[in-house]
Amino acid sequence: MLKKILTPVHRFILIVTLFLMVTGNHAFFSKLLQSYPITSENLFFLISITAFFTLATALLLNLICYGRFTSWMLALITLLASLAAYFMDSYGVVIDSTMLANVAQTNTKEATELLTVRLVWRLIVFGILPAYLILKYCPPAQSIRAELVSKVVLSFILILLMVAVAAPLTSTYASFIRQHKTVRLYSNPSYFCYSLVKYLSKTVKAPLNQALINIAADAKHIDDHQKNELLILVVGEAARADHFSLNGYERETNPELKKLDVISLPNVTSCGTSTAVSVPCMFSGLGRKSFDHSESMNYENVLDVLSPKVDILWRDNNSDSKGVAARIAFEDFRTPALNPVCDIECRDIGMLSGLDQHIEQRKGKDVLIVLHQMGNHGPAYYKRYPANFEKFTPACKSDDLGKCSDEQIRNAYDNAILYTDYFLSEVIGLLKRHNDTFEVAMLYVSDHGESLGEYGVYLHGAPYQIAPKAQTSIPAIIWMGSNFDYSHEQLRPYINLSFSQDDLFCALLTTFEVESNACVAWRPALKQNRNHL
């Protein structure tokens, strides 16, 4: 009787569901078995939850597939599920709305580094070929009435079965939901479909205000010094605090910086786990807990607040400024058009080209220069540094991290840290040349950290609530010239305090001696510079 009620297309949906569960959920079942190993005690629950997620996936596909579009929807989901499965299996990432935002903002160069033989093979075998077969063999839709009856009946049956398999184990399911929330984030395609809807709803939402909201409308410049400030802010990429020897790392990854009188802050956390979140968040002044990317576009950022009084330049050797530099001078150093130091890619050091002249032409002004690094952008860490910086060997020389051991990955990553160390020492050298005419300083802060295989996770972009410390604990380094408002002795007592990227907004206002009620409660001790003591 059931066969007579369910149309062929709905029976076909069940077949596709089984295919997706078998081929697209290795990460999900791996995480599940880590939490619930196969034992006689867990076996019944493992069977139950496998059935539950299979039924839930069938219900999802049943609800989103309609009429003549069913075959195309199933084919599209199969393609996307094969891609999602590859990245979850290979890098341990979660395909949430933030990760989808990262994908949307990925440029061609970054995408090319992620394109591997394994990805292509996986896409063809579990994505393109099945999608073709779906389009070819999916039964045609029948009458609207027959399809509707079939859809309702199937939905009812699936819900009934979901209740039936879960009801005997309600206490175990309750424990699973409370204690193992992260496991269900790997369910494929259900979670990435949810994330896609969430991402699209945020993307298409119209701005709340046409005019930008001034987050520090009362800001006023109180500088009464003879010399102007010159700050170079270096925004790093995917550097983690525990791989800086300045913070106690066993390898010497900061041979140049250790020769200089720098302050390294070992307890700094990021606003996000991806560039798309962390960069706009750290400049926003909204704080991590209140930050929403689409909402933040309605607000001025700290560069907007400073720009009436400070000459600001943003130089970028990464993807872009993620909207932060939309209203200030911006220069793209990703190509030889501006960057004079390019080989297999354009180097961060090239962003210093012409800066001496830029600074000389701005005597009598406060100057802020932001340098956005390529830094340690993965997975091709070996491309992030010239050959003469390959100190730690053997280094992974593949864009496909699956072809390298964790030790080889770590070696390549640390070599890229070595190059950042050199780059920062050159930034300080440049600032020293202007110490007599400006109050000079450098602040380096990475956008987020990076996973290097710990717990089977690589790269970055994990949901913040479950992100490992490696992705949120970031390096921050300060160097100050002899005429700067603060001395090293003043700041050293605060080295071991906990800081975050939320502090950047008020730190920049304080550096350029701009007062605002937005920062009235910000670390009063750090707002007292030596010239005002």
Side-chain angles (χ1 to χ4, degrees), residues 2-35:
L2 187 59
K3 186 176 180 180
K4 293 181 179 179
I5 297 175
L6 295 183
T7 62
V9 72
H10 287 103
R11 296 198 294 272
F12 192 79
I13 287 175
L14 297 179
I15 295 173
V16 174
T17 298
L18 292 175
F19 174 80
L20 292 175
M21 290 302 297
V22 171
T23 64
N25 282 277
H26 177 267
F28 170 74
F29 288 115
S30 295
K31 299 293 182 182
L32 180 63
L33 291 175
Q34 287 175 15
S35 302

Short mmCIF file of all heavy atoms in Angstrom, two decimals, residues 2-35:
data_model
loop_
_atom_site.label_atom_id
_atom_site.label_comp_id
_atom_site.label_asym_id
_atom_site.label_seq_id
_atom_site.Cartn_x
_atom_site.Cartn_y
_atom_site.Cartn_z
N LEU A 2 1.94 1.23 0.82
CA LEU A 2 2.82 2.39 0.89
C LEU A 2 3.45 2.68 -0.45
O LEU A 2 3.61 3.84 -0.85
CB LEU A 2 3.91 2.13 1.94
CG LEU A 2 4.83 3.31 2.27
CD1 LEU A 2 4.02 4.48 2.79
CD2 LEU A 2 5.89 2.88 3.28
N LYS A 3 3.79 1.62 -1.19
CA LYS A 3 4.39 1.81 -2.51
C LYS A 3 3.42 2.51 -3.45
O LYS A 3 3.83 3.26 -4.32
CB LYS A 3 4.81 0.45 -3.07
CG LYS A 3 5.57 0.53 -4.38
CD LYS A 3 6.04 -0.85 -4.81
CE LYS A 3 6.81 -0.75 -6.13
NZ LYS A 3 7.28 -2.09 -6.57
N LYS A 4 2.13 2.24 -3.27
CA LYS A 4 1.13 2.88 -4.12
C LYS A 4 0.95 4.35 -3.77
O LYS A 4 0.65 5.18 -4.63
CB LYS A 4 -0.21 2.15 -3.98
CG LYS A 4 -0.20 0.72 -4.53
CD LYS A 4 -1.56 0.07 -4.37
CE LYS A 4 -1.56 -1.36 -4.93
NZ LYS A 4 -2.88 -2.00 -4.77
N ILE A 5 1.12 4.68 -2.47
CA ILE A 5 0.92 6.07 -2.04
C ILE A 5 2.12 6.93 -2.40
O ILE A 5 1.98 8.05 -2.89
CB ILE A 5 0.65 6.12 -0.52
CG1 ILE A 5 -0.65 5.37 -0.19
CG2 ILE A 5 0.56 7.56 -0.04
CD1 ILE A 5 -0.93 5.28 1.29
N LEU A 6 3.33 6.42 -2.14
CA LEU A 6 4.54 7.20 -2.42
C LEU A 6 4.84 7.16 -3.93
O LEU A 6 4.89 6.10 -4.53
CB LEU A 6 5.73 6.63 -1.66
CG LEU A 6 5.68 6.72 -0.12
CD1 LEU A 6 6.97 6.18 0.46
CD2 LEU A 6 5.44 8.14 0.34
N THR A 7 5.00 8.32 -4.50
CA THR A 7 5.32 8.40 -5.92
C THR A 7 6.76 7.95 -6.15
O THR A 7 7.59 7.96 -5.23
CB THR A 7 5.16 9.84 -6.44
OG1 THR A 7 6.09 10.68 -5.74
CG2 THR A 7 3.74 10.34 -6.22
N PRO A 8 7.11 7.57 -7.38
CA PRO A 8 8.49 7.14 -7.68
C PRO A 8 9.53 8.19 -7.29
O PRO A 8 10.63 7.83 -6.85
CB PRO A 8 8.46 6.90 -9.19
CG PRO A 8 7.03 6.54 -9.48
CD PRO A 8 6.21 7.38 -8.55
N VAL A 9 9.21 9.46 -7.45
CA VAL A 9 10.20 10.49 -7.16
C VAL A 9 10.53 10.53 -5.68
O VAL A 9 11.67 10.78 -5.28
CB VAL A 9 9.72 11.88 -7.66
CG1 VAL A 9 8.59 12.43 -6.81
CG2 VAL A 9 10.89 12.86 -7.67
N HIS A 10 9.54 10.26 -4.82
CA HIS A 10 9.81 10.27 -3.38
C HIS A 10 10.57 9.02 -2.96
O HIS A 10 11.37 9.07 -2.01
CB HIS A 10 8.51 10.44 -2.59
CG HIS A 10 7.96 11.83 -2.67
ND1 HIS A 10 6.89 12.16 -3.48
CD2 HIS A 10 8.35 12.98 -2.09
CE1 HIS A 10 6.64 13.45 -3.37
NE2 HIS A 10 7.52 13.97 -2.53
N ARG A 11 10.35 7.93 -3.63
CA ARG A 11 11.17 6.75 -3.36
C ARG A 11 12.61 6.99 -3.82
O ARG A 11 13.56 6.52 -3.20
CB ARG A 11 10.56 5.52 -4.07
CG ARG A 11 9.17 5.14 -3.54
CD ARG A 11 8.80 3.71 -3.93
NE ARG A 11 8.62 3.54 -5.37
CZ ARG A 11 7.47 3.74 -6.01
NH1 ARG A 11 6.39 4.12 -5.34
NH2 ARG A 11 7.39 3.55 -7.32
N PHE A 12 12.75 7.76 -4.89
CA PHE A 12 14.09 8.11 -5.39
C PHE A 12 14.81 9.00 -4.37
O PHE A 12 16.03 8.87 -4.19
CB PHE A 12 13.96 8.84 -6.73
CG PHE A 12 15.25 9.01 -7.46
CD1 PHE A 12 15.81 7.96 -8.18
CD2 PHE A 12 15.94 10.21 -7.42
CE1 PHE A 12 17.01 8.11 -8.86
CE2 PHE A 12 17.13 10.38 -8.10
CZ PHE A 12 17.67 9.32 -8.82
N ILE A 13 14.09 9.89 -3.72
CA ILE A 13 14.67 10.75 -2.68
C ILE A 13 15.27 9.90 -1.57
O ILE A 13 16.35 10.22 -1.05
CB ILE A 13 13.61 11.73 -2.13
CG1 ILE A 13 13.31 12.82 -3.16
CG2 ILE A 13 14.06 12.35 -0.81
CD1 ILE A 13 12.19 13.76 -2.76
N LEU A 14 14.61 8.83 -1.21
CA LEU A 14 15.12 7.95 -0.16
C LEU A 14 16.43 7.28 -0.59
O LEU A 14 17.35 7.11 0.22
CB LEU A 14 14.07 6.90 0.19
CG LEU A 14 12.75 7.43 0.78
CD1 LEU A 14 11.79 6.28 1.05
CD2 LEU A 14 13.01 8.21 2.06
N ILE A 15 16.54 6.94 -1.86
CA ILE A 15 17.77 6.33 -2.38
C ILE A 15 18.92 7.33 -2.31
O ILE A 15 20.04 7.02 -1.89
CB ILE A 15 17.57 5.83 -3.83
CG1 ILE A 15 16.54 4.70 -3.86
CG2 ILE A 15 18.89 5.38 -4.43
CD1 ILE A 15 16.15 4.27 -5.25
N VAL A 16 18.64 8.58 -2.73
CA VAL A 16 19.67 9.64 -2.68
C VAL A 16 20.08 9.89 -1.22
O VAL A 16 21.27 10.11 -0.93
CB VAL A 16 19.15 10.93 -3.35
CG1 VAL A 16 20.15 12.07 -3.15
CG2 VAL A 16 18.90 10.69 -4.83
N THR A 17 19.13 9.85 -0.31
CA THR A 17 19.43 10.04 1.11
C THR A 17 20.45 9.01 1.59
O THR A 17 21.44 9.36 2.26
CB THR A 17 18.15 9.92 1.96
OG1 THR A 17 17.25 10.96 1.59
CG2 THR A 17 18.47 10.03 3.44
N LEU A 18 20.23 7.75 1.25
CA LEU A 18 21.16 6.69 1.66
C LEU A 18 22.54 6.91 1.07
O LEU A 18 23.57 6.71 1.73
CB LEU A 18 20.60 5.32 1.26
CG LEU A 18 19.33 4.87 2.00
CD1 LEU A 18 18.83 3.56 1.42
CD2 LEU A 18 19.61 4.72 3.49
N PHE A 19 22.59 7.36 -0.19
CA PHE A 19 23.88 7.63 -0.84
C PHE A 19 24.63 8.74 -0.10
O PHE A 19 25.84 8.62 0.17
CB PHE A 19 23.65 8.03 -2.30
CG PHE A 19 24.90 8.45 -3.01
CD1 PHE A 19 25.79 7.51 -3.51
CD2 PHE A 19 25.21 9.80 -3.15
CE1 PHE A 19 26.96 7.91 -4.14
CE2 PHE A 19 26.37 10.20 -3.79
CZ PHE A 19 27.25 9.25 -4.29
N LEU A 20 23.94 9.81 0.24
CA LEU A 20 24.57 10.93 0.94
C LEU A 20 25.05 10.53 2.33
O LEU A 20 26.13 10.94 2.77
CB LEU A 20 23.59 12.10 1.04
CG LEU A 20 23.23 12.79 -0.27
CD1 LEU A 20 22.15 13.84 -0.05
CD2 LEU A 20 24.45 13.40 -0.93
N MET A 21 24.27 9.73 3.02
CA MET A 21 24.67 9.31 4.36
C MET A 21 25.92 8.43 4.30
O MET A 21 26.80 8.53 5.16
CB MET A 21 23.52 8.55 5.03
CG MET A 21 22.34 9.41 5.41
SD MET A 21 22.75 10.78 6.54
CE MET A 21 23.31 9.87 7.99
N VAL A 22 26.02 7.59 3.29
CA VAL A 22 27.17 6.68 3.17
C VAL A 22 28.42 7.40 2.70
O VAL A 22 29.52 7.18 3.22
CB VAL A 22 26.83 5.50 2.23
CG1 VAL A 22 28.07 4.67 1.93
CG2 VAL A 22 25.75 4.63 2.84
N THR A 23 28.29 8.28 1.71
CA THR A 23 29.47 8.89 1.08
C THR A 23 29.85 10.25 1.65
O THR A 23 30.99 10.69 1.45
CB THR A 23 29.25 9.05 -0.43
OG1 THR A 23 28.16 9.99 -0.65
CG2 THR A 23 28.90 7.72 -1.08
N GLY A 24 28.93 10.93 2.33
CA GLY A 24 29.20 12.30 2.73
C GLY A 24 29.34 12.54 4.22
O GLY A 24 29.45 13.69 4.66
N ASN A 25 29.36 11.47 5.03
CA ASN A 25 29.31 11.67 6.48
C ASN A 25 30.42 10.94 7.24
O ASN A 25 30.24 10.58 8.41
CB ASN A 25 27.95 11.23 7.01
CG ASN A 25 26.88 12.27 6.74
OD1 ASN A 25 26.72 13.23 7.49
ND2 ASN A 25 26.15 12.09 5.65
N HIS A 26 31.56 10.80 6.60
CA HIS A 26 32.70 10.19 7.30
C HIS A 26 33.09 11.01 8.52
O HIS A 26 33.35 10.46 9.61
CB HIS A 26 33.88 10.05 6.34
CG HIS A 26 35.11 9.49 7.00
ND1 HIS A 26 36.09 10.28 7.55
CD2 HIS A 26 35.51 8.21 7.21
CE1 HIS A 26 37.04 9.53 8.06
NE2 HIS A 26 36.71 8.26 7.86
N ALA A 27 33.15 12.33 8.37
CA ALA A 27 33.52 13.20 9.49
C ALA A 27 32.51 13.10 10.61
O ALA A 27 32.86 13.04 11.79
CB ALA A 27 33.65 14.65 9.01
N PHE A 28 31.23 13.08 10.26
CA PHE A 28 30.18 12.98 11.27
C PHE A 28 30.31 11.70 12.07
O PHE A 28 30.29 11.71 13.31
CB PHE A 28 28.81 13.05 10.59
CG PHE A 28 27.66 12.72 11.50
CD1 PHE A 28 27.24 13.62 12.46
CD2 PHE A 28 27.01 11.49 11.40
CE1 PHE A 28 26.19 13.31 13.32
CE2 PHE A 28 25.95 11.18 12.24
CZ PHE A 28 25.55 12.09 13.21
N PHE A 29 30.44 10.57 11.39
CA PHE A 29 30.53 9.30 12.10
C PHE A 29 31.84 9.16 12.86
O PHE A 29 31.89 8.54 13.93
CB PHE A 29 30.34 8.13 11.13
CG PHE A 29 28.92 7.99 10.65
CD1 PHE A 29 28.58 8.18 9.32
CD2 PHE A 29 27.90 7.68 11.55
CE1 PHE A 29 27.27 8.06 8.89
CE2 PHE A 29 26.58 7.55 11.13
CZ PHE A 29 26.27 7.75 9.79
N SER A 30 32.92 9.77 12.36
CA SER A 30 34.19 9.75 13.08
C SER A 30 34.06 10.49 14.41
O SER A 30 34.52 10.01 15.45
CB SER A 30 35.30 10.37 12.23
OG SER A 30 35.55 9.59 11.08
N LYS A 31 33.46 11.69 14.35
CA LYS A 31 33.24 12.46 15.58
C LYS A 31 32.29 11.73 16.53
O LYS A 31 32.49 11.75 17.75
CB LYS A 31 32.67 13.84 15.23
CG LYS A 31 33.56 14.70 14.35
CD LYS A 31 34.82 15.13 15.08
CE LYS A 31 35.67 16.03 14.18
NZ LYS A 31 36.95 16.42 14.84
N LEU A 32 31.28 11.10 15.96
CA LEU A 32 30.32 10.37 16.78
C LEU A 32 31.00 9.23 17.52
O LEU A 32 30.78 9.01 18.73
CB LEU A 32 29.19 9.84 15.90
CG LEU A 32 28.07 9.05 16.61
CD1 LEU A 32 27.33 9.93 17.60
CD2 LEU A 32 27.10 8.47 15.57
N LEU A 33 31.85 8.47 16.81
CA LEU A 33 32.53 7.32 17.42
C LEU A 33 33.59 7.75 18.41
O LEU A 33 33.95 6.98 19.32
CB LEU A 33 33.13 6.44 16.33
CG LEU A 33 32.12 5.70 15.45
CD1 LEU A 33 32.82 4.94 14.34
CD2 LEU A 33 31.28 4.73 16.29
N GLN A 34 34.12 8.96 18.27
CA GLN A 34 35.05 9.46 19.28
C GLN A 34 34.33 9.69 20.60
O GLN A 34 34.90 9.49 21.68
CB GLN A 34 35.69 10.77 18.81
CG GLN A 34 36.72 10.61 17.71
CD GLN A 34 37.24 11.93 17.18
OE1 GLN A 34 37.05 12.99 17.81
NE2 GLN A 34 37.90 11.91 16.04
N SER A 35 33.07 10.13 20.50
CA SER A 35 32.28 10.39 21.70
C SER A 35 31.61 9.12 22.23
O SER A 35 31.43 8.97 23.44
CB SER A 35 31.21 11.45 21.39
OG SER A 35 31.78 12.65 20.93
#
